[in-house]
Coordinates of all heavy atoms in Angstrom, one line a residue:
M1 N -110.1 19.8 21.1 CA -108.8 19.6 20.6 C -108.9 18.5 19.4 O -109.7 17.6 19.5 CB -107.9 19.0 21.7 CG -106.5 18.8 21.2 SD -105.5 18.5 22.7 CE -104.0 18.0 21.8
I2 N -108.2 18.7 18.4 CA -108.2 17.8 17.3 C -107.5 16.5 17.6 O -106.4 16.5 18.2 CB -107.6 18.4 16.1 CG1 -108.4 19.7 15.7 CG2 -107.6 17.5 14.8 CD1 -107.7 20.5 14.6
T3 N -108.1 15.4 17.4 CA -107.5 14.1 17.7 C -106.4 13.8 16.7 O -106.3 14.3 15.6 CB -108.5 13.0 17.7 OG1 -109.1 12.9 16.4 CG2 -109.6 13.3 18.7
K4 N -105.6 12.8 17.1 CA -104.5 12.4 16.2 C -105.0 11.7 14.9 O -104.4 11.8 13.9 CB -103.6 11.4 17.0 CG -102.8 12.1 18.0 CD -101.8 11.2 18.7 CE -101.1 11.9 19.8 NZ -100.1 11.0 20.5
K5 N -106.1 11.0 15.0 CA -106.7 10.4 13.9 C -107.1 11.4 12.8 O -106.8 11.2 11.6 CB -107.9 9.6 14.3 CG -108.5 8.8 13.1 CD -109.8 8.0 13.5 CE -109.5 6.9 14.5 NZ -110.7 6.1 14.8
V6 N -107.7 12.5 13.2 CA -108.2 13.5 12.3 C -106.9 14.2 11.6 O -106.9 14.4 10.4 CB -109.0 14.6 13.0 CG1 -109.3 15.8 12.0 CG2 -110.3 14.0 13.5
I7 N -105.9 14.5 12.4 CA -104.7 15.1 11.9 C -104.0 14.2 10.9 O -103.5 14.6 9.8 CB -103.7 15.5 13.1 CG1 -104.4 16.6 13.9 CG2 -102.4 15.9 12.5 CD1 -103.6 16.9 15.1
S8 N -103.9 12.9 11.2 CA -103.3 11.9 10.3 C -104.1 11.8 9.0 O -103.5 11.7 7.9 CB -103.0 10.6 11.0 OG -104.2 10.0 11.3
L9 N -105.4 11.7 9.1 CA -106.2 11.6 7.9 C -106.0 12.8 7.0 O -105.9 12.8 5.8 CB -107.7 11.4 8.2 CG -108.1 10.0 8.7 CD1 -109.5 10.0 9.1 CD2 -107.9 9.0 7.6
F10 N -106.0 14.0 7.7 CA -105.9 15.3 6.9 C -104.5 15.3 6.3 O -104.4 15.7 5.1 CB -106.1 16.4 7.9 CG -106.0 17.8 7.2 CD1 -107.0 18.2 6.4 CD2 -104.8 18.5 7.3 CE1 -106.9 19.5 5.8 CE2 -104.7 19.7 6.7 CZ -105.8 20.2 5.9
T11 N -103.5 15.0 7.0 CA -102.1 15.0 6.4 C -101.9 14.0 5.3 O -101.3 14.3 4.3 CB -101.1 14.7 7.6 OG1 -101.3 15.6 8.7 CG2 -99.7 14.9 7.1
F12 N -102.5 12.8 5.4 CA -102.4 11.8 4.4 C -103.1 12.3 3.1 O -102.7 12.0 2.0 CB -102.9 10.4 4.9 CG -102.6 9.3 3.9 CD1 -101.3 9.0 3.5 CD2 -103.7 8.6 3.3 CE1 -101.1 8.0 2.6 CE2 -103.5 7.6 2.4 CZ -102.2 7.3 2.1
G13 N -104.3 12.9 3.3 CA -105.0 13.5 2.2 C -104.3 14.6 1.5 O -104.2 14.6 0.2
V14 N -103.6 15.4 2.2 CA -102.8 16.5 1.6 C -101.6 15.8 0.8 O -101.3 16.3 -0.3 CB -102.3 17.5 2.7 CG1 -101.2 18.4 2.1 CG2 -103.4 18.3 3.2
F15 N -101.0 14.8 1.4 CA -99.9 14.1 0.8 C -100.4 13.5 -0.6 O -99.7 13.6 -1.6 CB -99.3 13.0 1.7 CG -98.3 12.2 1.0 CD1 -97.0 12.7 0.7 CD2 -98.6 10.9 0.7 CE1 -96.1 11.9 0.2 CE2 -97.7 10.0 0.1 CZ -96.4 10.5 -0.2
L16 N -101.5 12.8 -0.5 CA -102.0 12.2 -1.8 C -102.4 13.2 -2.8 O -102.1 13.0 -4.0 CB -103.2 11.3 -1.5 CG -102.9 10.0 -0.8 CD1 -104.2 9.3 -0.5 CD2 -102.1 9.1 -1.7
I17 N -102.9 14.4 -2.4 CA -103.2 15.4 -3.4 C -101.9 16.0 -4.0 O -101.9 16.2 -5.2 CB -104.1 16.5 -2.7 CG1 -105.5 16.0 -2.4 CG2 -104.2 17.7 -3.6 CD1 -106.3 16.9 -1.7
L18 N -100.9 16.2 -3.2 CA -99.7 16.6 -3.7 C -99.0 15.6 -4.7 O -98.5 16.0 -5.7 CB -98.7 17.0 -2.6 CG -99.0 18.2 -1.8 CD1 -98.0 18.4 -0.6 CD2 -98.9 19.5 -2.7
V19 N -99.0 14.4 -4.3 CA -98.5 13.3 -5.2 C -99.3 13.3 -6.5 O -98.7 13.1 -7.6 CB -98.5 12.0 -4.5 CG1 -98.2 10.8 -5.4 CG2 -97.5 12.0 -3.4
G20 N -100.6 13.4 -6.4 CA -101.4 13.4 -7.6 C -101.1 14.6 -8.5 O -101.1 14.5 -9.7
A21 N -100.9 15.8 -7.9 CA -100.6 17.0 -8.7 C -99.3 16.8 -9.4 O -99.1 17.2 -10.5 CB -100.6 18.2 -7.8
I22 N -98.3 16.3 -8.7 CA -97.0 16.1 -9.3 C -97.0 15.0 -10.4 O -96.4 15.2 -11.4 CB -95.9 15.7 -8.2 CG1 -95.7 16.9 -7.3 CG2 -94.6 15.2 -8.8 CD1 -94.9 16.6 -6.0
S23 N -97.8 14.0 -10.1 CA -97.9 12.9 -11.1 C -98.7 13.4 -12.4 O -98.5 12.9 -13.5 CB -98.5 11.7 -10.6 OG -99.9 11.9 -10.2
K24 N -99.6 14.4 -12.2 CA -100.3 15.0 -13.3 C -99.3 15.8 -14.2 O -99.5 15.8 -15.4 CB -101.3 16.0 -12.7 CG -102.3 16.5 -13.7 CD -103.4 15.5 -13.9 CE -104.6 16.2 -14.4 NZ -105.5 15.2 -14.9
L25 N -98.2 16.3 -13.7 CA -97.2 17.0 -14.5 C -96.5 16.0 -15.4 O -96.0 16.4 -16.4 CB -96.2 17.7 -13.6 CG -96.8 18.9 -12.8 CD1 -95.7 19.5 -11.8 CD2 -97.3 20.0 -13.7
F26 N -96.3 14.8 -14.9 CA -95.6 13.7 -15.6 C -96.5 12.9 -16.5 O -96.1 11.9 -17.1 CB -94.8 12.8 -14.7 CG -93.7 13.6 -14.0 CD1 -93.7 13.8 -12.7 CD2 -92.6 14.0 -14.7 CE1 -92.6 14.4 -12.0 CE2 -91.5 14.6 -14.1 CZ -91.6 14.9 -12.8
N27 N -97.8 13.3 -16.6 CA -98.8 12.6 -17.4 C -99.0 11.1 -17.0 O -99.1 10.3 -17.9 CB -98.5 12.8 -18.9 CG -98.7 14.2 -19.3 OD1 -99.5 14.9 -18.8 ND2 -97.8 14.6 -20.3
W28 N -99.0 10.8 -15.7 CA -99.2 9.4 -15.3 C -100.7 9.1 -15.4 O -101.5 10.0 -15.1 CB -98.7 9.2 -13.9 CG -97.2 9.2 -13.8 CD1 -96.3 9.2 -14.8 CD2 -96.5 9.3 -12.5 NE1 -95.0 9.3 -14.3 CE2 -95.1 9.4 -12.9 CE3 -96.8 9.4 -11.2 CZ2 -94.1 9.4 -12.0 CZ3 -95.8 9.4 -10.3 CH2 -94.5 9.4 -10.7
S29 N -101.0 7.9 -15.7 CA -102.4 7.6 -16.0 C -103.3 7.6 -14.7 O -104.5 7.7 -14.7 CB -102.6 6.3 -16.7 OG -102.0 5.3 -15.9
Q30 N -102.6 7.3 -13.5 CA -103.4 7.1 -12.3 C -103.4 8.5 -11.4 O -103.8 8.4 -10.3 CB -102.7 6.0 -11.5 CG -102.8 4.7 -12.1 CD -104.1 4.2 -12.4 OE1 -105.0 4.4 -11.5 NE2 -104.4 3.5 -13.5
S31 N -103.0 9.5 -12.0 CA -102.9 10.8 -11.2 C -104.3 11.3 -10.8 O -104.5 11.7 -9.6 CB -102.2 11.9 -12.0 OG -103.0 12.2 -13.2
N32 N -105.3 11.2 -11.6 CA -106.7 11.6 -11.2 C -107.2 10.7 -10.0 O -107.9 11.2 -9.1 CB -107.6 11.5 -12.4 CG -107.4 12.6 -13.4 OD1 -106.8 13.7 -13.0 ND2 -107.7 12.4 -14.6
L33 N -106.9 9.4 -10.1 CA -107.4 8.5 -9.0 C -106.7 8.9 -7.7 O -107.3 8.9 -6.7 CB -107.1 7.1 -9.4 CG -107.5 6.0 -8.4 CD1 -109.0 6.0 -8.3 CD2 -107.0 4.7 -8.9
I34 N -105.4 9.2 -7.8 CA -104.7 9.5 -6.5 C -105.2 10.8 -5.9 O -105.4 10.9 -4.7 CB -103.2 9.6 -6.8 CG1 -102.6 8.2 -7.2 CG2 -102.4 10.2 -5.7 CD1 -101.2 8.3 -7.7
M35 N -105.5 11.8 -6.8 CA -106.0 13.0 -6.2 C -107.5 12.8 -5.7 O -107.8 13.4 -4.7 CB -106.0 14.1 -7.3 CG -104.7 14.6 -7.6 SD -104.4 15.8 -8.8 CE -105.9 16.6 -9.1
A36 N -108.3 12.0 -6.3 CA -109.6 11.7 -5.8 C -109.6 11.0 -4.5 O -110.4 11.3 -3.6 CB -110.4 10.8 -6.8
I37 N -108.6 10.0 -4.3 CA -108.5 9.3 -3.0 C -108.0 10.3 -1.9 O -108.5 10.3 -0.8 CB -107.5 8.2 -3.1 CG1 -108.2 7.1 -4.0 CG2 -107.2 7.6 -1.8 CD1 -107.2 6.0 -4.4
G38 N -107.2 11.3 -2.3 CA -106.7 12.3 -1.4 C -107.9 13.2 -0.9 O -108.0 13.5 0.2
L39 N -108.8 13.5 -1.9 CA -110.0 14.3 -1.5 C -110.9 13.6 -0.6 O -111.5 14.1 0.3 CB -110.7 14.8 -2.8 CG -110.0 15.9 -3.6 CD1 -110.8 16.1 -4.9 CD2 -110.0 17.2 -2.7
V40 N -111.0 12.2 -0.8 CA -111.9 11.4 0.1 C -111.3 11.4 1.5 O -112.1 11.6 2.5 CB -112.0 10.0 -0.5 CG1 -112.6 9.0 0.6 CG2 -112.8 10.0 -1.7
F41 N -110.0 11.3 1.6 CA -109.4 11.4 3.0 C -109.6 12.8 3.6 O -109.8 12.9 4.8 CB -107.9 11.1 2.9 CG -107.6 9.6 3.0 CD1 -107.3 8.9 1.8 CD2 -107.7 8.9 4.2 CE1 -107.1 7.5 1.9 CE2 -107.5 7.6 4.2 CZ -107.2 6.9 3.0
E42 N -109.5 13.8 2.8 CA -109.8 15.2 3.3 C -111.2 15.3 3.8 O -111.5 15.9 4.9 CB -109.5 16.2 2.2 CG -108.1 16.3 1.8 CD -107.3 17.0 2.8 OE1 -107.8 18.0 3.5 OE2 -106.1 16.7 2.9
I43 N -112.2 14.8 3.0 CA -113.6 14.9 3.4 C -113.8 14.1 4.7 O -114.6 14.5 5.6 CB -114.5 14.5 2.3 CG1 -114.4 15.5 1.1 CG2 -115.9 14.2 2.7 CD1 -115.1 15.1 -0.2
L44 N -113.2 12.9 4.8 CA -113.4 12.0 5.9 C -112.8 12.7 7.2 O -113.5 12.7 8.2 CB -112.7 10.7 5.7 CG -112.8 9.7 6.8 CD1 -114.3 9.3 7.0 CD2 -112.0 8.5 6.5
A45 N -111.7 13.4 7.1 CA -111.1 14.1 8.2 C -112.0 15.2 8.6 O -112.3 15.5 9.8 CB -109.7 14.6 7.8
A46 N -112.6 15.9 7.7 CA -113.5 17.1 8.0 C -114.8 16.5 8.7 O -115.2 17.1 9.6 CB -113.9 17.8 6.7
L47 N -115.3 15.4 8.2 CA -116.5 14.9 8.8 C -116.3 14.4 10.2 O -117.1 14.6 11.1 CB -117.1 13.7 7.9 CG -117.7 14.2 6.6 CD1 -118.1 12.9 5.8 CD2 -118.9 15.0 6.9
L48 N -115.1 13.8 10.4 CA -114.8 13.3 11.8 C -114.6 14.5 12.7 O -115.0 14.5 13.9 CB -113.5 12.5 11.8 CG -113.6 11.0 11.4 CD1 -112.3 10.4 11.3 CD2 -114.5 10.3 12.3
F49 N -114.0 15.6 12.2 CA -113.8 16.8 13.0 C -115.1 17.4 13.4 O -115.4 17.8 14.5 CB -112.9 17.8 12.3 CG -112.7 19.1 13.0 CD1 -111.9 19.1 14.1 CD2 -113.4 20.2 12.6 CE1 -111.7 20.3 14.8 CE2 -113.2 21.4 13.2 CZ -112.3 21.5 14.3
I50 N -116.0 17.5 12.4 CA -117.4 18.1 12.7 C -118.2 17.2 13.7 O -118.8 17.7 14.6 CB -118.1 18.3 11.4 CG1 -117.5 19.4 10.6 CG2 -119.6 18.6 11.6 CD1 -117.9 19.5 9.1
W51 N -118.0 15.9 13.5 CA -118.8 14.9 14.3 C -118.3 15.1 15.8 O -119.1 15.1 16.7 CB -118.6 13.5 13.8 CG -119.2 12.5 14.7 CD1 -118.6 11.7 15.6 CD2 -120.6 12.2 14.7 NE1 -119.6 10.9 16.1 CE2 -120.8 11.1 15.6 CE3 -121.7 12.6 14.0 CZ2 -122.0 10.6 15.9 CZ3 -122.9 12.1 14.2 CH2 -123.1 11.1 15.1
K52 N -117.0 15.2 16.0 CA -116.4 15.4 17.3 C -116.9 16.7 18.0 O -117.2 16.7 19.2 CB -114.9 15.3 17.3 CG -114.3 14.0 16.9 CD -114.3 13.0 18.0 CE -113.6 11.8 17.6 NZ -113.6 10.7 18.5
K53 N -117.0 17.7 17.1 CA -117.4 19.0 17.7 C -118.9 19.0 18.0 O -119.3 19.6 19.0 CB -117.2 20.1 16.6 CG -115.7 20.5 16.5 CD -115.2 21.1 17.8 CE -113.8 21.5 17.7 NZ -113.3 22.1 18.9
L54 N -119.7 18.3 17.3 CA -121.2 18.2 17.5 C -121.4 17.4 18.8 O -122.4 17.6 19.5 CB -121.9 17.7 16.3 CG -122.0 18.6 15.1 CD1 -122.7 17.9 14.0 CD2 -122.8 19.9 15.5
K55 N -120.6 16.4 19.0 CA -120.8 15.5 20.2 C -120.5 16.2 21.5 O -121.0 15.8 22.5 CB -120.0 14.2 20.0 CG -120.6 13.2 19.0 CD -119.8 12.0 19.0 CE -120.1 11.1 20.2 NZ -119.5 9.8 20.1
Q56 N -119.7 17.2 21.4 CA -119.3 17.9 22.7 C -120.3 18.9 23.2 O -121.2 19.4 22.8 CB -118.0 18.7 22.5 CG -116.8 17.8 22.4 CD -115.5 18.6 22.2 OE1 -115.6 19.8 22.0 NE2 -114.4 17.9 22.1

């Protein structure tokens, strides 16, 4: 079962990617940084999920 930490990291990453994509439409200067941070949270959630599966 997926833990709440993995779900929250994944959801926050998706939120940041969406905010970054919307801010890209408005030509905000920090939109690439926001999307990159979102991808880092996505990768972290995936690594935690894989780590939990390998430990079982």
Side-chain angles (χ1 to χ4, degrees):
M1 184 171 172
I2 301 175
T3 62
K4 291 182 181 181
K5 185 185 290 186
V6 173
I7 292 173
S8 66
L9 284 174
F10 182 78
T11 306
F12 188 62
V14 169
F15 173 73
L16 284 177
I17 290 173
L18 287 175
V19 169
I22 291 170
S23 65
K24 192 83 160 165
L25 294 174
F26 293 111
N27 293 327
W28 292 348
S29 61
Q30 299 297 323
S31 61
N32 288 334
L33 180 65
I34 293 171
M35 288 181 17
I37 293 172
L39 285 174
V40 167
F41 275 102
E42 294 286 325
I43 291 170
L44 184 62
L47 288 175
L48 280 175
F49 178 72
I50 292 169
W51 179 258
K52 294 283 185 181
K53 287 294 181 181
L54 288 177
K55 284 182 77 174
Q56 288 181 356

